[in-house]
Amino acid sequence: MTNTLIPAPSSADERRARFRPPLVLLAGFLVVSLAMEAVIIAQSALGASVDSAIWIRCSLVLVSSIVLLLLAMRAAGGSRSAWTRIRIVSVVVVVAIIVIVSIPGFLPDWIRVEQGVCGALVLPAAILLNLPRTRALFPKSGSASSDRATRG
């Protein structure tokens, strides 16, 4: 029997593994946003009146879902700037959803439910992206930890 050493996972492997849950959550956010956009397009095509606030809100949510997913994919690939941006944008999106859903009478209940689902998908992703263990995957250049990594 031979002893074979299993190589330690690279930081890229660890980063991809850590980003898998946020990527899945943000992909779900995109799917829900696309579904909502399809619903309001279908309603309009069938002659139902869709308020401009609904069009604007759902379109902004769709754009934010695309931006968040693209940033997460870039961060999973190692982009520190994308990780910094997604940490901020994901929290802003959650806060915006909470504010919009909290305004009484602003949106119909079915839109508020959809927005709640979106928030329920983005909130855990925002938490995961802001954890210290995720931060450790993106050391600042010139920091002690990155200096050790380049020397050792």
Side-chain angles (χ1 to χ4, degrees):
M1 182 179 253
T2 61
N3 288 336
T4 55
L5 294 175
I6 298 171
S10 70
S11 61
D13 292 338
E14 182 180 355
R15 189 178 49 253
R16 279 191 294 274
R18 289 260 173 87
F19 269 83
R20 197 167 296 121
L23 283 167
V24 169
L25 290 163
L26 295 174
F29 176 38
L30 176 61
V31 168
V32 171
S33 300
L34 282 169
M36 181 53 69
E37 198 73 24
V39 166
I40 63 173
I41 288 170
Q43 284 183 334
S44 286
L46 295 173
S49 175
V50 179
D51 190 70
S52 62
I54 294 172
W55 277 108
I56 292 167
R57 179 68 192 151
C58 290
S59 297
L60 289 173
V61 169
L62 178 58
V63 168
S64 69
S65 69
I66 293 167
V67 168
L68 284 174
L69 188 56
L70 290 174
L71 285 172
M73 290 173 12
R74 286 190 55 224
S79 171
R80 188 176 206 291
S81 63
W83 170 72
T84 301
R85 287 181 182 94
I86 195 170
R87 289 179 54 225
I88 297 165
V89 174
S90 62
V91 172
V92 169
V93 167
V94 170
V95 170
I97 289 171
I98 290 169
V99 168
I100 293 297
V101 169
S102 300
I103 300 173
F106 178 62
L107 296 171
D109 289 342
W110 61 279
I111 297 283
R112 292 167 70 145
V113 169
E114 180 265 347
Q115 292 291 286
V117 170
C118 288
L121 291 165
V122 178
L123 178 62
I127 291 169
L128 291 169
L129 293 165
N130 282 285
L131 289 175
R133 69 177 186 219
T134 307
R135 180 181 312 252
L137 297 172
F138 297 94
K140 289 183 181 178
S141 58
S143 71
S145 61
S146 66
D147 288 344
R148 280 192 304 265
T150 56
R151 281 187 242 145

